[in-house]
Amino acid sequence: MNVLGVIGDVLWILTLSIMAGASRMAWSKIRKDVKVPMLWSPAGATVWRAPRGVALVLLPVVALLLSLWLLVGSRQPMDPIVAVMLLCVRAILAAIFATVHLIQVRRALNQLAAEGQIQL
């Protein structure tokens, strides 16, 4: 096992824990029967709503599957330059997934609070 692979694993562990924490916090605020906004148009209108479980778990599960795929790829023997590039890809994707999930959860909670469906 190389050091770059371990660094990438740590980044993904942090990302997944941030995403799980945000989902858990939102889960406790949203009632079971509320449809959570998940997708918005560029104008800001809600395009798609999903049940609470789907809305709060979908992106973290996709991130987990992607992280496992990248983990397997990082364990293969490779040139040091390729290993550094793979670490960069893993770090950038981890940051993007965490940021997108946090923005999505914040925006959904704000919209639900504005609609009077939850109380922050």
Side-chain angles (χ1 to χ4, degrees):
M1 189 177 328
N2 61 19
V3 175
L4 297 177
V6 172
I7 292 171
D9 295 345
V10 168
L11 291 173
W12 273 101
I13 289 168
L14 290 172
T15 294
L16 293 170
S17 65
I18 288 168
M19 293 171 78
S23 290
R24 183 172 184 248
M25 181 273 310
W27 187 278
S28 66
K29 294 186 182 301
I30 301 171
R31 292 187 321 267
K32 190 177 193 176
D33 60 329
V34 173
K35 296 280 188 177
V36 180
M38 284 192 64
L39 188 62
W40 295 268
S41 70
T46 303
V47 175
W48 183 46
R49 289 179 181 250
R52 177 181 69 169
V54 173
L56 297 176
V57 175
L58 181 64
L59 196 58
V61 167
V62 169
L64 173 66
L65 295 175
L66 178 63
S67 72
L68 293 175
W69 182 67
L70 291 169
L71 179 136
V72 170
S74 71
R75 298 301 187 259
Q76 306 301 321
M78 62 184 78
D79 185 48
I81 299 294
V82 175
V84 170
M85 289 178 6
L86 183 58
L87 174 63
C88 292
V89 167
R90 291 178 80 190
I92 290 168
L93 286 175
I96 288 171
F97 269 92
T99 303
V100 166
H101 186 65
L102 290 174
I103 290 170
Q104 181 184 21
V105 168
R106 178 184 55 98
R107 191 168 181 184
L109 287 175
N110 288 341
Q111 182 174 340
L112 290 173
E115 293 171 353
Q117 294 190 31
I118 63 168
Q119 203 169 21
L120 294 179

